Amino acid sequence: MHIPDGYISPQTAGGLWALVVPAWYAAGYKVRRTLDARQAPLIAIGAAFTFIIMMFNIPLPGGTTGHAVGGTIVAIVIGPWAAVIAVSVALAIQALFFGDGGILALGANCFNIGFILPVTGYLTYRLIARGAAEGSARRWIAAGVGGWTGLNLAALLTAVVFGLQGELYTAADGSALYSPYGLATAIPAMMVPHLAVAGVVEAVMTSLVYIFLQRTNPALLQNYKTARAGGESRFELRPLIIGLALLLVCTPIGLLATGTAWGEWGADEVADEVGYVPEGMDRYAGAWTGLLPDYGFPAGEEGESLGEGAAETAGVVSVDAARKSAPAYLVSGVVGLALASVAALLSARFLFRGRQEGNRG
Amino acid sequence: MADMAAKNADAPLFLVEDVHFSYEGAPALAGATLSVERGERVALLGANGSGKSTLLKMLDGLLFPDRGRIGFMGQELSEATLRLDSFSREFRRRVGFVFQNADAQLFSPTVRDEVAFGPLHLGLPDDEVERRVEDTIHILGLGHLKERAPYHLSGGEKKRVALASVLAINPDVLLFDEPTAGLDPKTSSFLVSLAGDLHEAGKTIITATQDLSIVGDIADRALVMGEDHRLAGEGPPAAVLADRELLLRANLIHDHPHRHGGVEHYHPHSHVEGHEHGH
Amino acid sequence: MADGGMLPAWMTERPGGFEPGGPDRAVRQSALARTLLGLGRLARDTIYSEKVAARPGLMQGVDPRVKVAGVLVLLLLASLLRHWYLVLGLYLVSVAMAAAASIPAWFFMKRVWMFIPLFAAVIALPSIFNVVRDGDPLWVIWDFGGEVRLGPWSLGTSLAITQQGVRGAVMLVLRVAASVSLGVLLALTTRWNELLRALRVFHVPRLFVLILSMTYRYIFLLLAMATEMFTARASRMVGPASPREDRRFLAAGMGALLGKSHALSEEVYAAMVSRGFDGEPVTASRFRTAAADWVWLASTATLALSLLAGDRIIG
Ligand SMILES: Nc1ncnc2c1ncn2[C@@H]1O[C@H](COP(=O)(O)OP(=O)(O)O)[C@@H](O)[C@H]1O
Ligand SMILES: [Mg+2]
């Protein structure tokens, strides 16, 4: 799900830097208030953990392997705000010290994978697990659903970022300057394999780790709660949800704004360029899942194999390729993003509310 | 600080009074009482889990008693006093702690940064930091490793860097947690003789160890922690080491059957001292 | 006590001769083995790049702050240029810089092209066909002889590779390659502690830099822990484990690692506090820029500006 440099325009990259910096400041502020000086080693080692488990090959059905990001389980243990910094640090190290993942695109990656993923994953977990007993099944299910939701929202945002490139940035002759596909292609190509494969890997691993910790180290799962009780600040859901919703809405609009401001980059020529038939390309596009090339691993070790697994599914899905204007795509992107997050959170909440009350009664 | 030292000249360096501590319900100390004078060399003996590390962390102001008190030169060591800037800075300058796990103590990008960490954070001026780093690295023979990252180092080298990082602060009191555990004989005898030099320079040295073979060389007084997380006994090293019954009770040595030439017998036995005897 | 002292009888039984029997199956490389391989490779790669960074060379000699600034400028350039041959030129410049840094050419190329730009090529491939992205036909593969419709979608009148498609795909691959090349060059020629200190100049908060440095350091400790865990498991395994078992084991490994990491962080915190850390990191600045650094930065900037100007003049 990493965006390497070269796929996105400098304006997009800059826009996402502008979004992630305040997110970091907010996280830093929250962490300072809850964790005091203890934050540095806790976050650092949380980040190292994230980095290492991204290298764990998880066997998938059909003989292929994938890997988990682990943002949600880290958020559960060290808290969502600390996790934002930890995952961002892990991404920064991949980009800066290992030359993997973009440097200009680091802001985008940190926003999607470092911010959206752990925070929405944690929120989902909290909403579903609220009131459940420590050792209960509902807790590990909540963790799994959180992992799935967080990963897919991050993937959706990444897909929107990719898709905007195809919509907005074309040379005078109509050739693509960056990632060549529009939203109508990028979103399904990215989302189908993530919803079906990568998200499931994340969910299964998050749940399994959670179960393991419930059995062997339950105190660790209470760690953040304890730290929070000690600190002055509480994790409040409402401002966070509002903030997230605002950010989700602002992202594509902000990108569009920067795009048009740079008029010469051809936002006006864009609308004509859209009109794709997805068959044929989805075969390859399925391989987006593997957009996490690992450190110097032989090519295709996981990216392609994972992609192949998903390709069949990807091929089935069709997109409304009727010619639409770029703004319409943008609106659909924003609405889709917002709807998906709200739906995931609400459905999770309602699904389990009945059970929760049942348990009490 | 000078007048504080004068005022408390007669107070013991550390005074531990009936200290209790538990980690999430698991007891680690259950009524420890002891005192340490300035310039003393003390060994803290005890089996695994008896609470040695916990006690050292308390002496270093890293953990605080659930019950009981710890005094340092007549002042109470508590969360409140250590939150005072001047007190904590002065205390951290005076007391150095070499952790058992060198990996926990080495968190900086290079050996040089590691050694500079303490002096920098205790507010020494840059040129003084530089001088101390150079000198400490030199006396510990780490010159060739200066720009290396800690993760490249061997166990013995890591231990020396950990020691350097503490010595650069030039503390008056040194707390060692199992300094020789897992080290080769050469490095451990180096550590033992360095501790001797430091003692001669007037420093107070408190060493937690299970290594009975070094006790005589590093301490003038030995304290034995029992498995009940209290002090089980104390005395000069020779006397303590000769007290089989005490060592057995503290689980530092154990009885087990041996067969020598078909004769089965029991005898107290410590795994750290060789075990030669004729039959 | 039995014959073996405290040992149970089964532990004192001796095996017979060494005669492995039964049909041998080739064992498919398990996920576990792959993970181990990957972890080992990371450690090896790092040690190798530390070695490269310690070598004398043009890039290694440049002050890290200046180098980071220069690479950022070039990265920005790589994403601003609109003509493929200029991007190619930039890529070749990065290869030349790698050569000047005495990085073996084959190693550098392999490190860069595997696997991100290659992957970009696969991604971009469909976009060269007119059915995916409209454009002027460059080469008509199949003339349908009339408009072909698939339900609501029109496939147009022919299957062709388009001029715009090829240009876009080439552009993407070159851009990605040039960017990765520059990133790898920076990573390979800069010792990471220098890179960290350089970040301070870019107003990255001190605490963030401290966390970054500690993370990097602890990655290797966790790496060693994970490797140990997996090696122990791999050595005890008879025959391949089922993917299900592997998944469980990996999850247990992650959980255990998380627990150990957390305990470690408490210990590290104590060690930092013991040496005077109160939440505010202190760093000494030990940077000295030489004239050569400024020359390097000036030539980088000149290169960037002239390429960009050329790009805009060509239109
Ligand atoms: N961080 C910790 N969390 C929970 N229990 C701990 C922790 N550290 C030590 N303990 C427990 O406290 C007891 C005393 O430990 P410790 O002081 O490390 O003993 P020693 O150093 O003598 O081996 C042991 O039972 C140990 O398991
Ligand atoms: Mg101990």
Side-chain angles (χ1 to χ4, degrees):
Chain A
M1 211 198 310
H2 281 64
I3 304 173
D5 275 338
Y7 279 83
I8 61 175
S9 68
Q11 297 91 309
T12 315
L16 283 154
W17 273 108
L19 285 177
V20 80
V21 169
W24 280 337
Y25 270 94
Y29 174 76
K30 282 286 187 180
V31 165
R32 247 172 217 276
R33 288 192 42 193
T34 44
L35 292 171
D36 62 60
R38 190 163 266 120
Q39 56 189 310
L42 185 66
I43 294 172
I45 293 172
F49 171 78
T50 313
F51 185 100
I52 291 292
I53 65 160
M54 283 194 220
M55 302 186 63
F56 283 22
N57 278 277
I58 315 294
L60 300 178
T64 57
T65 56
H67 70 83
V69 177
T72 303
I73 192 78
V74 170
I76 292 171
V77 171
I78 71 177
W81 297 113
V84 167
I85 302 182
V87 180
S88 298
V89 163
L91 294 169
I93 286 190
Q94 288 179 340
L96 288 173
F97 299 111
F98 294 95
D100 289 325
I103 295 176
L104 292 184
L106 184 61
N109 289 325
C110 286
F111 187 76
N112 299 342
I113 307 173
F115 176 65
I116 295 295
L117 193 160
V119 168
T120 57
Y122 178 79
L123 269 178
T124 310
Y125 161 76
R126 272 288 299 269
L127 285 175
I128 301 176
R130 182 176 281 174
E134 305 306 348
S136 65
R138 176 138 63 95
R139 289 212 166 246
W140 63 255
I141 293 170
V145 177
W148 186 86
T149 310
L151 189 90
N152 279 300
L153 284 175
L156 183 56
L157 215 56
T158 308
V160 170
V161 170
F162 276 132
L164 282 174
Q165 309 310 309
E167 305 285 348
L168 295 180
Y169 303 105
T170 28
D173 69 347
S175 66
L177 281 169
Y178 305 99
S179 182
Y181 305 106
L183 289 165
T185 316
I187 291 181
M190 185 89 174
M191 290 321 292
V192 169
H194 274 87
L195 289 167
V197 183
V200 176
V201 172
E202 188 75 11
V204 169
M205 291 315 285
T206 306
S207 285
L208 285 176
V209 173
Y210 199 96
I211 293 168
F212 177 85
L213 292 177
Q214 274 182 328
R215 277 208 325 264
T216 62
N217 198 349
L220 200 57
L221 294 172
Q222 296 303 307
N223 172 63
Y224 176 58
K225 206 169 137 197
T226 321
R228 204 154 37 89
E232 316 136 43
S233 125
R234 284 191 34 129
F235 190 78
E236 283 145 14
L237 293 182
R238 190 173 316 202
L240 189 73
I241 291 177
I242 294 171
L244 259 179
L246 270 178
L247 282 173
L248 288 178
V249 171
C250 288
T251 312
I253 289 177
L255 297 177
L256 181 63
T258 39
T260 32
W262 276 63
E264 61 162 334
W265 290 84
D268 33 56
E269 313 140 27
V270 175
D272 309 334
E273 296 307 321
V274 202
Y276 312 138
V277 176
E279 278 101 316
M281 73 143 292
D282 277 350
R283 272 204 79 68
Y284 302 99
W288 279 115
T289 333
L291 216 92
L292 257 179
D294 291 328
Y295 321 106
F297 294 0
E301 198 170 75
E302 69 166 75
E304 280 169 7
S305 45
L306 195 61
E308 271 158 31
E312 292 147 37
T313 354
V316 179
V317 171
S318 55
V319 192
D320 179 10
R323 288 165 183 270
K324 286 183 187 170
S325 62
Y329 276 116
L330 275 178
V331 170
S332 69
V334 175
V335 171
L337 202 57
L339 276 183
S341 32
V342 170
L345 293 176
L346 288 186
S347 60
R349 185 91 185 96
F350 286 124
L351 236 157
F352 282 93
R353 171 169 279 172
R355 269 180 64 173
Q356 185 183 336
E357 280 161 4
N359 285 349
R360 289 214 188 109
Chain B
M1 212 57 219
D3 45 275
M4 181 190 117
K7 193 174 67 194
N8 304 309
D10 46 348
L13 183 70
F14 283 115
L15 184 61
V16 176
E17 291 173 306
D18 190 33
V19 162
H20 292 252
F21 185 82
S22 55
Y23 295 96
E24 285 132 26
L29 289 175
T33 299
L34 58 104
S35 78
V36 176
E37 297 298 330
R38 276 190 90 163
E40 254 198 305
R41 283 198 305 172
V42 179
L44 197 56
L45 305 178
N48 274 333
S50 58
K52 303 182 297 294
S53 300
T54 307
L55 182 56
L56 286 186
K57 282 183 185 159
M58 289 194 158
L59 296 182
D60 197 33
L62 298 171
L63 292 176
F64 303 97
D66 294 340
R67 229 173 78 203
R69 305 165 25 100
I70 298 188
F72 175 73
M73 297 179 72
Q75 307 233 3
E76 181 165 358
L77 269 192
S78 68
E79 251 176 310
T81 50
L82 275 166
R83 218 175 286 133
L84 301 174
D85 228 24
S86 58
F87 181 87
S88 81
R89 181 165 293 192
E90 194 56 35
F91 177 76
R92 301 276 170 229
R93 276 193 193 177
R94 287 191 182 223
V95 182
F97 187 0
V98 181
F99 282 68
Q100 175 174 357
N101 178 2
D103 276 318
Q105 193 156 14
L106 306 182
F107 44 77
S108 301
T110 62
V111 168
R112 171 206 284 279
D113 290 328
E114 193 64 66
V115 179
F117 186 92
L120 272 176
H121 282 82
L122 290 168
L124 295 181
D126 278 6
D127 48 344
E128 175 69 8
V129 172
E130 191 64 18
R131 193 165 67 95
R132 288 196 180 186
V133 169
E134 288 304 322
D135 290 350
T136 328
I137 283 181
H138 176 73
I139 56 170
L140 287 167
L142 296 166
H144 59 298
L145 302 174
K146 230 182 331 194
E147 297 299 333
R148 291 271 289 279
Y151 60 84
H152 278 322
L153 307 181
S154 73
E157 288 166 342
K158 278 186 192 168
K159 200 75 191 185
R160 279 189 291 157
V161 176
L163 196 60
S165 72
V166 171
L167 291 183
I169 301 171
N170 192 24
D172 199 37
V173 181
L174 280 153
L175 309 171
F176 288 103
D177 197 356
E178 311 217 3
T180 57
L183 292 187
D184 58 78
K186 190 172 150 232
T187 316
S188 44
S189 68
F190 169 79
L191 286 185
V192 168
S193 70
L194 185 70
D197 292 349
L198 290 167
H199 174 63
E200 264 161 38
K203 310 217 180 272
T204 310
I205 295 179
I206 303 177
T207 311
T209 187
Q210 310 177 43
D211 185 347
L212 300 184
S213 69
I214 62 166
V215 176
D217 297 323
I218 54 155
D220 302 315
R221 184 158 67 102
L223 302 170
V224 181
M225 297 280 297
E227 298 215 290
D228 57 352
H229 309 293
R230 303 161 196 254
L231 226 56
E234 65 171 291
V240 167
L241 290 179
D243 189 346
R244 293 248 141 104
E245 202 261 330
L246 172 65
L247 297 181
L248 270 172
R249 205 150 29 89
N251 220 0
L252 279 160
I253 57 175
H254 63 147
D255 270 336
H256 73 169
H258 279 258
R259 296 171 61 85
H260 299 279
V263 185
E264 184 170 304
H265 68 207
Y266 289 79
H267 66 103
H269 170 88
S270 143
H271 278 283
V272 283
E273 287 176 302
H275 117 244
E276 305 122 60
H277 43 206
H279 280 287
Chain C
M1 283 284 158
D3 254 347
M6 63 201 317
L7 304 182
W10 58 264
M11 216 180 262
T12 61
E13 270 165 28
R14 313 288 310 274
F18 184 66
E19 290 155 19
D24 281 331
R25 273 173 306 145
V27 178
R28 191 173 57 79
Q29 198 185 40
S30 71
L32 208 63
R34 282 197 210 179
T35 303
L36 262 177
L37 219 66
L39 294 174
R41 195 173 289 126
L42 175 68
R44 264 203 324 280
D45 276 3
T46 316
I47 291 172
Y48 182 77
S49 45
E50 293 265 311
K51 259 193 211 138
V52 171
R55 272 183 208 163
L58 185 63
M59 286 292 283
Q60 288 90 334
V62 180
D63 179 285
R65 293 170 304 174
V66 172
K67 191 162 33 177
V68 170
V71 167
L72 279 180
V73 167
L74 294 180
L75 276 172
L76 205 56
L77 183 66
S79 69
L80 279 174
L81 293 175
R82 289 178 300 185
H83 298 278
W84 66 270
Y85 41 89
L86 294 180
V87 180
L88 178 65
L90 182 61
Y91 169 70
L92 293 176
V93 168
S94 75
V95 173
M97 290 201 281
S102 58
I103 302 171
W106 62 265
F107 169 82
F108 187 69
M109 300 273 203
K110 208 178 95 194
R111 178 85 170 70
V112 168
W113 283 92
M114 297 283 210
F115 136 112
I116 303 175
L118 219 57
F119 190 71
V122 176
I123 295 284
L125 193 63
S127 75
I128 68 174
F129 296 102
N130 64 345
V131 292
V132 178
R133 206 173 196 287
D134 261 351
D136 309 327
L138 185 68
W139 176 40
V140 178
I141 302 171
W142 181 17
D143 201 329
F144 301 147
E147 187 177 346
V148 174
R149 298 191 67 87
L150 248 180
W153 303 294
S154 166
L155 293 187
T157 56
S158 63
L159 174 68
I161 290 177
T162 68
Q163 214 172 324
Q164 285 90 340
V166 171
R167 202 169 290 154
V170 167
M171 194 68 189
L172 179 72
V173 174
L174 283 174
R175 246 195 241 289
V176 169
S179 308
V180 174
S181 196
L182 289 164
V184 169
L185 191 65
L186 178 68
L188 276 179
T189 59
T190 319
R191 306 181 79 143
W192 72 283
N193 50 311
E194 307 253 282
L195 195 49
L196 276 175
R197 265 191 258 129
L199 291 182
R200 290 279 309 120
V201 183
F202 297 93
H203 292 281
V204 178
R206 247 173 238 278
L207 192 64
F208 200 79
V209 177
L210 175 75
I211 290 174
L212 211 58
S213 75
M214 292 179 62
T215 303
Y216 188 86
R217 183 250 176 280
Y218 283 105
I219 281 174
F220 293 94
L221 190 69
L222 298 195
L223 187 74
M225 284 185 191
T227 308
E228 211 166 274
M229 208 155 64
F230 293 149
T231 315
R233 154 92 168 194
S235 71
R236 276 199 313 259
M237 255 178 352
V238 182
S242 74
R244 199 186 145 81
E245 280 172 52
D246 264 358
R247 267 197 301 275
R248 284 201 174 277
F249 175 75
L250 283 162
M254 283 186 196
L257 204 60
L258 193 53
K260 280 187 197 173
S261 307
H262 185 259
L264 180 69
S265 79
E266 293 281 312
E267 191 87 351
V268 172
Y269 173 66
M272 294 172 78
V273 168
S274 174
R275 282 196 275 148
F277 179 72
D278 62 357
E280 284 305 322
V282 183
T283 42
S285 46
R286 280 199 308 267
F287 276 118
R288 255 165 283 128
T289 41
D293 296 326
W294 296 110
V295 172
W296 190 87
L297 189 60
S299 38
T300 308
T302 314
L303 173 78
L305 280 178
S306 46
L307 277 179
L308 196 60
D311 188 65
R312 296 298 130 113
I313 289 165
I314 296 167

